[in-house]
Amino acid sequence: MKQYETVIGLEVHVELATKTKIFCSCPTEFGGAPNSHTCPVCTGMPGSLPVLNKKVVEYAVAVGLATNCSITQNCKFDRKNYFYPDNPQNYQISQLYYPICRNGGIEITTEDGTTKTIGIHEIHMEEDAGKLVHDEWGESSLVDFNRSGVPLIEIVSEPDMRSAEEVVAYLDKLRLIIQYLGASDCKLQEGSMRADVNLSIREAGTEEFGTRTEMKNLNSFKAIARAIEAEKERQIDIIESGGKVVQETRRWDDNKEYSYAMRSKEDAQDYRYFPEPDLVPIVISDSWLEEIKLSQPEFRDEKLKRYEEEYKIPAYDAQIITGNKHLADIFEAATAICNNPKKVSNWLMVETMRLMKENDMEPEQLKFSPENLAKLVNLAESKVINSQTAKEVFEKVFSDDIDPEKYVEENGLKTVSDNGALREVVQKVIEENPQPVEDYHNGKKKAMGFLVGQIMKEMKGKADPAMANSILKELL
C-alpha cells in the first residue's frame, strides 16, 4: 500500500478595517441595503479614477512586519483582467510584479507541542469584487457591489503545510496577529477573512509536487479541516484508480461535505497582467516605515510570557485570555485599576465564559467596562458583598454594564457582618430547626449545610457566610 503525503499552501484574503474603500470614499462596513455603499469608482463607471487610501498601505506594511516579511519600499499596482459578473470593471487592481511584502514566515505550534515555521511567499494589496446573490426560486442572479472596492490583502503561503491541523494552527496564528494589529476583525463567517486551500498529494518520500486543486467557500476552521480531509481522499482515490488529478478550482459544500468543480484553474498568463495605468507607484520612505514599526503592538506570544511573569496567572488562563485581543484589553485595564490579576482572571475565566456560552457570544461582543469589573472585584474581595451576591451583581454588569457600587448601594445588597444581628438570626434558625440540630449533634455533617442555608435565606443572601458558620458552630 502506497503512503501519500499531503502538500498544502494557502491564499488568505483579509478585508482591512479601514473606514473607506481602497480607491474611493465609500464606507466599508458590513451589511447595508444592496448597492447602497457604492459610487462611480467602485462600480467601474467609465471615466472614474481610483485614488489610493493611505491607511491600506500602512495596514499591509504592519502585517508584513509582524509576519517577518521584507517590505518592498518601491512597489506598484497591476491590472488583472478577468470577466466575472461580480467584477464591475472586468479587471481587478492587484499586485503581481512588485508585491508590498515578500519572503516572510510565522512559527506555529500544533496541539502535540511541535513547532514549525510556515513560509509566506508574499502579501499583496488588492480590491475586493462584488457579491453575487443567487435567486433560490428563479434562475437569475443579482449583483451587490457594496463589497466591491473593499481593501484586501492576500497572504500567499509557501506549500509548507502537511495536515489540516497545521493549516488551522497557521490560520489561527495569522488571525491573532492581524486582530492584535487592529488591521481586520478576521471574521470568517462574515467573509472578512477567507482562505483558499491549494492542495496536492505525492507519494511519501518524493520531492516532486503533484497537481494541485484550489478549494473555495471555506468559512470556518472546521469546514477547512473537513474540506482538506475530503480533498486528500478524493485525490488519492483518483491516483489509486489510475486517473490523473486535474488542476481546477473546486467549491466546498460543508453541509454535504462534498466539493465540486467550478472552473479550470487559471495561471498568471491567463489574466494578462500589465501595470495599472491609473495609479502612480508607491514609495514607502525609511521614516514612514520606521513610524509603522514603532506603532506595532505587543503580540500574543510576548503577552503570554509577560502575563506569567508579571501577573503570575496560570498558563492555561493566560492562553485563553490572550487568545482574544478584546479579552486581553479588559484583563489588563481591570488589573491596572484593582491590582488583583488573579481575581480578574478568575472572573473572566469562570463567570464571563459561562455567560458568553449561555448567550452564544464572542469576546468582541462583551459590553462591560474594565472599570466596572475592577469595582466588582474590590467589592467581593473587601467582603462588602458575599460571593453569591457578587455573581448575581456580575450578571447585571455583564448584560447592562451597570456600576456595581451604585447597584449594591441602591438595592441594599451589602453583606451583614453585624455580629449581634447575625447572632439573633442564627439563634432563631437553631430554635426553629430542632431535627437538623439533633442530626448535627449525631455526627451528620450535612445538617450544618442545611442550617447555614436557612440562615442565608433569613438574611436574604446578605450574611457573611464565614461569620454565619462561625457563630452557628459556637451556638451549637
Side-chain angles (χ1 to χ4, degrees):
M1 181 76 178
K2 285 181 182 175
Q3 293 293 312
Y4 291 96
E5 180 179 56
T6 316
V7 178
I8 307 165
L10 295 187
E11 294 167 17
V12 178
H13 288 87
V14 176
E15 285 184 359
L16 298 176
T18 55
K19 288 187 168 61
T20 55
K21 294 185 180 181
I22 186 168
F23 299 124
C24 67
S25 57
C26 290
T28 55
E29 71 241 30
F30 181 72
N35 299 303
S36 59
H37 301 166
T38 56
C39 72
V41 174
C42 56
T43 52
M45 296 295 172
S48 62
L49 288 171
V51 177
L52 178 60
N53 183 339
K54 183 183 177 185
K55 193 69 186 169
V56 174
V57 180
E58 289 180 348
Y59 277 147
V61 170
V63 174
L65 291 171
T67 53
N68 307 300
C69 292
S70 57
I71 307 301
T72 312
Q73 289 182 248
N74 290 281
C75 64
K76 61 184 182 64
F77 283 101
D78 303 295
R79 190 173 288 192
K80 177 183 183 181
N81 298 277
Y82 65 95
F83 305 96
Y84 294 163
D86 60 358
N87 188 29
Q89 309 110 306
N90 286 325
Y91 62 81
Q92 180 191 34
I93 299 175
S94 182
Q95 291 187 301
L96 175 71
Y97 302 107
Y98 297 99
I100 192 163
C101 313
R102 288 185 273 202
N103 305 325
I106 57 173
E107 192 177 82
I108 63 164
T109 305
T110 50
E111 279 183 14
D112 64 1
T114 308
T115 58
K116 179 178 183 178
T117 298
I118 306 298
I120 290 174
H121 180 72
E122 66 174 60
I123 301 175
H124 59 260
M125 300 176 289
E126 60 187 23
E127 58 182 339
D128 209 345
K131 185 180 180 183
L132 287 176
V133 182
H134 304 292
D135 183 352
E136 288 180 31
W137 303 104
E139 293 183 356
S140 61
S141 293
L142 305 170
V143 191
D144 178 5
F145 287 122
N146 280 351
R147 199 174 68 185
S148 180
V150 165
L152 294 177
I153 51 171
E154 182 174 347
I155 304 163
V156 183
S157 82
E158 298 291 356
D160 289 343
M161 287 159 274
R162 297 291 175 266
S163 67
E165 190 191 358
E166 288 184 3
V167 168
V168 170
Y170 169 76
L171 284 170
D172 200 33
K173 182 79 175 272
L174 209 53
R175 179 173 68 171
L176 274 173
I177 287 170
I178 295 165
Q179 284 176 339
Y180 266 84
L181 283 165
S184 173
D185 58 19
C186 292
K187 291 180 180 173
L188 274 81
Q189 69 278 14
E190 288 184 6
S192 58
M193 184 179 189
R194 311 194 286 276
D196 297 339
V197 176
N198 290 291
L199 185 149
S200 65
I201 59 162
R202 63 184 176 191
E203 208 173 320
T206 59
E207 290 296 314
E208 196 178 333
F209 290 135
T211 303
R212 68 188 166 91
T213 59
E214 180 182 33
M215 270 193 300
K216 292 186 175 286
N217 195 37
L218 304 165
N219 61 3
S220 74
F221 286 172
K222 285 179 181 173
I224 288 164
R226 284 192 285 265
I228 287 169
E229 290 305 317
E231 181 59 12
K232 179 180 79 173
E233 294 304 322
R234 190 188 74 85
Q235 290 192 20
I236 290 171
D237 288 346
I238 290 170
I239 290 168
E240 289 284 311
S241 59
K244 283 190 174 180
V245 176
V246 177
Q247 183 172 317
E248 62 188 357
T249 300
R250 299 182 68 82
R251 185 179 179 85
W252 174 252
D253 186 324
D254 199 46
N255 293 323
K256 296 176 183 173
E257 296 197 17
Y258 168 82
S259 70
Y260 53 89
M262 288 170 67
R263 57 181 181 268
S264 61
K265 173 70 180 160
E266 300 89 343
D267 285 316
Q269 63 266 27
D270 298 320
Y271 291 119
R272 303 185 321 284
Y273 280 95
F274 60 84
E276 172 53 53
D278 291 339
L279 287 162
V280 296
I282 301 158
V283 178
I284 301 164
S285 66
D286 290 346
S287 59
W288 190 17
L289 186 59
E290 192 57 31
E291 198 181 303
I292 299 169
K293 273 182 189 171
L294 291 172
S295 66
Q296 295 285 85
E298 179 186 42
F299 290 103
R300 189 204 190 178
D301 290 352
E302 297 154 347
K303 271 192 194 298
L304 269 175
K305 211 171 176 181
R306 182 168 66 83
Y307 278 23
E308 288 180 52
E309 288 170 6
E310 186 181 326
Y311 297 129
K312 305 287 189 294
I313 62 171
Y316 178 76
D317 291 20
Q319 284 277 353
I320 300 294
I321 291 168
T322 58
N324 181 276
K325 185 170 186 296
H326 186 54
L327 213 53
D329 288 345
I330 292 172
F331 169 76
E332 289 188 30
T335 298
I337 297 164
C338 69
N339 197 27
N340 198 333
K342 285 185 180 173
K343 293 299 176 185
V344 173
S345 171
N346 286 349
W347 279 101
L348 290 175
M349 292 296 296
V350 182
E351 290 303 305
T352 303
M353 292 297 172
R354 176 180 69 81
L355 291 167
M356 275 169 54
K357 191 176 179 184
E358 283 177 14
N359 292 280
D360 194 24
M361 283 170 66
E362 294 295 320
E364 285 81 12
Q365 295 169 284
L366 293 174
K367 292 186 291 187
F368 64 83
S369 66
E371 291 79 10
N372 285 336
L373 175 58
K375 283 180 182 180
L376 183 77
V377 168
N378 286 337
L379 287 169
E381 287 310 291
S382 59
K383 298 205 165 26
V384 171
I385 53 176
N386 62 39
S387 59
Q388 188 52 45
T389 303
K391 286 178 186 177
E392 289 164 16
V393 173
F394 180 70
E395 292 200 9
K396 294 293 290 178
V397 173
F398 182 92
S399 61
D400 303 321
D401 195 28
I402 53 110
D403 181 325
E405 290 175 349
K406 283 183 185 170
Y407 185 80
V408 165
E409 195 66 52
E410 287 165 5
N411 290 276
L413 297 174
K414 284 185 178 178
T415 300
V416 176
S417 46
D418 176 333
N419 192 301
L422 199 48
R423 193 170 281 270
E424 276 181 35
V425 172
V426 175
Q427 189 62 53
K428 183 186 172 198
V429 167
I430 290 172
E431 287 166 7
E432 290 177 357
N433 294 277
Q435 189 58 52
V437 170
E438 191 182 327
D439 290 345
Y440 173 76
H441 287 132
N442 290 332
K444 291 183 181 174
K445 299 297 177 198
K446 280 186 182 174
M448 185 75 169
F450 172 79
L451 292 167
V452 171
Q454 293 304 300
I455 294 164
M456 297 305 282
K457 194 174 172 186
E458 282 284 332
M459 300 291 289
K460 296 186 171 56
K462 292 188 284 183
D464 179 334
M467 188 178 278
N469 255 297
S470 172
I471 294 170
L472 181 61
K473 279 181 183 173
E474 180 197 327
L475 295 180
L476 283 170

